[in-house]
Structures are given as C-alpha cells and as structure tokens.
Amino acid sequence: MIRVCTINDKEILEKYLQEEPYAGAILAAIEEFGFDEKFQTVYLDSEKRNLDTEGEQETEETVKGVYLWFHKNLLLYSKENKVDIDFLEQMIFMAAPDCVVGRKDNVNIVSWLLTDYHFKQSDMNIYTLDASLGSSDISSLILSHRR
C-alpha cells in the first residue's frame, strides 16, 4: 500500500533511509522541509502484517520503498528494488518529472515509462533520467548531502 507520509511516519522512514546516499538525500529533504510543503510530497510503500505474539495482536509494517516528489523531480529508493511501477505510471501520467534520481537499479525500472529521457551516471554514482540537459534542484540536494 502506498500512502502520503506525515510526521507520524518519520520514525519508520528514518530507520529505512539510513543506509545509502540516495536514501539519505530523501531523509535530508524531510528533515529540511518536513511533510507539509507544497513543493515536496513523500510517499511510503509498505506492507502491514498482523503478528500474534503471546496472545496479543500486533501489527508489523515493512517498508518496500520511498518516493520523494521534490518540485518537479522524483527521487526514489527501494532497498530490494521493489519499485511500484503501477504507482509511478499513475504519477507520471498526472505530471511527468523533469528528472528521476536514485540507485541505478531503481532508476532503470522507471526508464521504460520515460523513453525520451536521457539516462546519465555522475562520477559520484548518481543515476538520473533527465528530460533536459540542464541541472535540477534535486541533483544539488543529493550532491550537498553526500559531501
């Protein structure tokens, strides 16, 4: 299930996003701008599972991916490369991003939706699908976070 994140999701996002630079850039944007800015929307793809431990019902939530729409750019991160292509297809149909940024395997999945975009790799292993040859706000956010 994919949903728009709120402040209530911050803890689960922090746990999931602490390992890679791409994930860290999403976390940095959340820390800088929060969840209520009009130019930024964070989506969480997760599964909830009911656990029965010692007679008590508990729910465990497993994160499959995080999608950050930042201005007109998309930054995506999925540890196990479980990018939800149906969700992205719907979002791209509503408003195609200027740039898609993320880990190579994650970005590669999106490339078939955006066939007229340019696939690029920076010397810092940042992979992008770019509609234009210019730079984007999200790339500078990633670069500033990685330093």
Side-chain angles (χ1 to χ4, degrees), residues 3 16 19-20 25-26 48 60-61 68 75 78 91 102 106 108 110 114 122 127 130 133 142 144 147:
R3 68 175 190 276
Y16 186 73
E19 295 182 18
E20 286 194 43
I26 295 172
K48 289 188 179 182
E60 177 183 75
E61 187 169 21
L68 169 67
L75 180 55
S78 175
M91 296 301 290
N106 292 180
N108 199 34
V110 183
L114 301 167
S122 77
Y127 296 89
D130 200 335
L133 296 177
I142 292 170
S144 65
R147 290 185 185 153

Side-chain angles (χ1 to χ4, degrees), residues 1-3 5 9 12-13 43-46 61 63 65-66:
M1 173 183 83
I2 297 180
R3 68 175 190 276
C5 293
D9 296 307
I12 195 167
L13 287 167
Y43 295 91
L44 177 67
D45 185 2
S46 67
E61 187 169 21
V63 177
V66 178

Side-chain angles (χ1 to χ4, degrees), residues 33-94:
F33 304 111
F35 296 97
D36 298 323
E37 295 291 341
K38 291 183 184 208
F39 61 82
Q40 171 174 295
T41 306
V42 182
Y43 295 91
L44 177 67
D45 185 2
S46 67
E47 293 181 326
K48 289 188 179 182
R49 198 175 65 172
N50 290 326
L51 302 174
D52 189 13
T53 54
E54 298 178 17
E56 292 186 28
Q57 290 282 25
E58 290 184 26
T59 302
E60 177 183 75
E61 187 169 21
T62 303
V63 177
K64 297 189 312 186
V66 178
Y67 307 90
L68 169 67
W69 288 87
F70 185 82
H71 293 282
K72 292 182 178 180
N73 302 290
L74 170 62
L75 180 55
L76 63 145
Y77 177 68
S78 175
K79 280 183 192 176
E80 281 92 38
N81 200 29
K82 294 183 180 180
V83 174
D84 190 318
I85 200 69
D86 293 330
F87 167 74
L88 290 176
E89 188 172 28
Q90 291 174 9
M91 296 301 290
I92 289 169
F93 178 74
M94 291 188 298

Side-chain angles (χ1 to χ4, degrees), residues 28 102 117:
Y117 281 48

Side-chain angles (χ1 to χ4, degrees), residues 107-120:
V107 173
N108 199 34
I109 289 173
V110 183
S111 66
W112 75 269
L113 290 173
L114 301 167
T115 57
D116 56 341
Y117 281 48
H118 307 281
F119 189 78
K120 297 185 233 173

